[in-house]
Amino acid sequence: MVKNRLIWPLLLVIIASGLDRLLGDPPHWPHPVMAMGALIKLWRSWAEAWAGHSPWRLRLGGFVITTLLLLGSGLAGWLIERLALAKPWAMPLLLIAMASCLAGRSLALAVRAVLEPLASQPDDLAVARERLGWIVGRDTAGLNQMEILRATAETASENGVDGLFAPLFWLLLGALLWCAGLTEWPGPLALAWGFKASSTLDSMLGYRRGRLRWLGTAGARLDDLLVWLPSRLVALSLGELWAACRDGKADASPNAGVSQAAYAYALNIQLGGLNYYEGEAINKPILNRGGNVVNSDAVLAILRINQWLALQWQLIALILVGAFIGWK
């Protein structure tokens, strides 16, 4: 009985991961990120109306938005956890909510949607450019096929960390806390929804332009902090930690360069280079200089790595808990 109580939180994470791989985010289903996004838009309008163009007021407003969303999301997750622990009929709700934290299937579908027209209509890049524009922040108009493939590989690797491995890390950490008997503490959903709050803040406010330069500071810094360890664990899992940190440190983001470089070295492809954002040219650091040019097979290999590495993390967590049980 004691052993069962120790292992079941990790089984919840494994089932939730399986749900994400099987179902992803079905269209028209409510998603917690939608609620987070609606709150951010509302609070942003209030903060900007109060702060005007004052940098310190905008920074304060961004800090308040970040604090409210982080605590509110974590509390909502904790309340669902409490309900599921007290009422077994609510356990499916907890599992669905945990699965909503992971974006493995959604990312894979979005990436494959870019590759499909490249294979079927290689001379007509309009559809691939349009679909790529849905998942990247850079300008996609005018990109040639090689540039489309590079951009797709970069988003598959960076968002593999942001959308899959970082929330999986926080799910597993919460589950391990429960495995240790700390079931009154915030568990997998509370920690993962807290992370999703920071990730949503970064994606909506974390831009270095206009008033967002100050309003988005708190959310962007929090997201950098919460992704720092998961991104390096991915690089370590791929056996490329040193090289990824060496090449990635030149990137303005403390995590994006490391994440992309880890995959670049693992697959021996070269990433980085000139990108355009709203017409502004930005040279991103070259990652694994001299590596092969990205092709469709390399992009698909990134998706396979994401799938198997996520499974590996879950198995390692099970082994750790199993060793703990044996030690006890």
Side-chain angles (χ1 to χ4, degrees):
M1 242 354 236
V2 173
K3 292 184 178 182
N4 289 337
R5 287 202 300 272
L6 283 169
I7 207 75
W8 69 266
L10 282 178
L11 298 181
L12 291 180
V13 176
I14 292 171
I15 294 171
S17 182
L19 285 175
D20 171 64
R21 188 171 299 177
L22 181 65
L23 301 175
D25 297 319
H28 312 302
W29 279 34
H31 197 282
V33 169
M34 296 171 61
M36 294 175 191
L39 286 172
I40 292 170
K41 286 181 180 179
L42 176 64
W43 292 340
R44 175 185 174 180
S45 67
W46 291 352
E48 289 183 331
W50 171 73
H53 293 282
S54 169
W56 78 265
R57 284 195 173 201
L58 287 167
R59 286 183 185 274
L60 178 59
F63 177 80
V64 172
I65 290 173
T66 299
T67 302
L68 289 175
L69 194 69
L70 177 68
L71 294 179
S73 300
L75 178 61
W78 184 78
L79 290 174
I80 292 175
E81 291 170 352
R82 302 270 64 76
L83 178 64
L85 290 173
K87 306 290 184 181
W89 56 261
M91 194 59 70
L93 174 62
L94 176 60
L95 286 169
I96 292 172
M98 289 169 61
S100 75
C101 300
L102 302 168
R105 180 176 174 84
S106 298
L107 175 62
L109 291 175
V111 167
R112 290 179 186 276
V114 176
L115 299 180
E116 286 169 2
L118 293 180
S120 61
Q121 299 174 310
D123 297 325
D124 184 3
L125 302 179
V127 175
R129 290 169 181 153
E130 180 185 13
R131 293 178 178 179
L132 178 63
W134 298 342
I135 56 175
V136 300
R138 73 191 70 183
D139 301 340
T140 60
L143 294 183
N144 61 35
Q145 181 167 320
M146 186 172 63
E147 291 168 332
I148 291 172
L149 286 169
R150 175 172 68 85
T152 307
E154 288 169 357
T155 196
S157 55
E158 181 181 351
N159 288 319
V161 174
D162 291 344
L164 176 59
F165 292 107
L168 179 59
F169 170 84
W170 292 104
L171 283 171
L172 288 171
L173 180 60
L176 289 173
L177 289 174
W178 279 8
C179 287
L182 304 174
T183 52
E184 295 301 317
W185 286 33
L189 182 60
L191 295 186
W193 270 9
F195 167 75
K196 294 300 287 187
S198 76
S199 179
T200 307
L201 281 162
D202 184 54
S203 65
M204 293 183 66
L205 304 181
Y207 297 94
R208 299 179 181 182
R209 61 173 183 262
R211 287 188 284 191
L212 293 181
R213 188 177 309 167
W214 302 288
L215 186 66
T217 299
R221 295 294 178 268
L222 177 63
D223 187 67
D224 288 343
L225 177 64
L226 297 183
V227 179
W228 191 91
L229 182 56
S231 67
R232 283 148 182 82
L233 287 176
V234 168
L236 179 64
S237 301
L238 293 174
E240 304 292 351
L241 178 60
W242 184 84
C245 290
R246 181 196 62 205
D247 283 17
K249 68 181 180 181
D251 197 288
S253 165
N255 301 313
V258 172
S259 301
Q260 292 178 17
Y263 288 87
Y265 278 98
L267 295 170
N268 192 28
I269 55 177
Q270 179 175 301
L271 299 178
L274 181 64
N275 298 333
Y276 286 88
Y277 298 87
E278 297 186 348
E280 180 184 356
I282 296 180
N283 271 304
K284 305 287 283 186
I286 300 298
L287 308 172
N288 188 28
R289 186 180 295 274
N292 297 323
V293 174
V294 179
N295 57 27
S296 295
D297 289 340
V299 177
L300 292 173
I302 293 173
L303 298 181
R304 289 194 296 272
I305 287 174
N306 288 346
Q307 179 177 339
W308 289 110
L309 202 58
L311 179 60
Q312 179 184 330
W313 279 24
Q314 294 166 66
L315 290 176
I316 289 172
L318 281 173
I319 291 170
L320 289 173
V321 173
F324 176 71
I325 291 172
W327 177 75
K328 288 192 71 174

